[in-house]
Amino acid sequence: MTADDTFGRLDDDDYPAYTMGRAAEMLGTTQGFLRAIGEARLITPLRSAGGHRRYSRYQLRIAARARELVDHGTPIEAACRIIILEDQLEEAQRLNAEYRRATESPNPTAAA
C-alpha cells in the first residue's frame, strides 16, 4: 500500500484507523466501555494483524451515542438496544422515502 492509498483511506468513515486506546481517549471513556459495547454487539471492531481492536470513525460515532445514553443513566445493554432500534428506524424511513419516490407517477397523463 502506498502513502497515497493510506491517506485516501483516512477519509473513509469505515476505515479502522483508531486503536482502542486512541478511541477511548477521543471518546473520553475507558477501554472497558468499548469492550462492553463490543460484547453487546453494538459495534464489531476490526482486528489488526496482531489481534488488536481497531475502530472506524463511524464506529466512534456509535460509541459516542452509547456513551451519551449511559452518561444519562441508561444501562449499557439498553443503550445498545436503543441505538440499534434508532438505526433500524432511520433505515426504514429511508427505504420508505425511496419507495414513495419510486411509486410517484412520472407520467402526467397517467394521473388524469
Side-chain angles (χ1 to χ4, degrees), residues 1-80:
M1 181 179 294
T2 68
D4 288 338
D5 292 338
T6 301
F7 289 123
R9 295 185 90 184
L10 292 176
D11 288 336
D12 182 355
D13 265 0
D14 295 318
Y15 182 69
Y18 303 98
T19 63
M20 177 181 270
R22 180 67 179 128
E25 180 183 316
M26 290 170 67
L27 295 170
T29 191
T30 65
Q31 293 181 15
F33 176 80
L34 291 173
R35 280 189 213 93
I37 63 174
E39 289 169 9
R41 298 181 189 230
L42 180 61
I43 59 175
T44 304
L46 291 162
R47 298 283 183 151
S48 69
H52 300 283
R53 291 174 180 90
R54 305 285 295 197
Y55 296 88
S56 68
R57 287 188 298 194
Y58 174 74
Q59 290 172 325
L60 294 183
R61 283 195 300 274
I62 292 172
R65 175 71 176 129
R67 179 168 183 236
E68 176 185 344
L69 290 170
V70 169
D71 286 351
H72 285 97
T74 306
I76 196 162
E77 296 82 12
C80 292

Side-chain angles (χ1 to χ4, degrees), residues 74-111:
T74 306
I76 196 162
E77 296 82 12
C80 292
R81 184 68 181 139
I82 288 167
I83 294 166
I84 290 167
L85 290 170
E86 287 174 342
D87 188 54
Q88 289 173 345
L89 175 60
E90 183 180 320
E91 178 67 7
Q93 290 172 331
R94 185 189 64 75
L95 291 172
N96 192 18
E98 283 181 18
Y99 176 74
R100 283 185 183 155
R101 282 191 299 273
T103 59
E104 289 176 352
S105 177
N107 185 352
T109 59

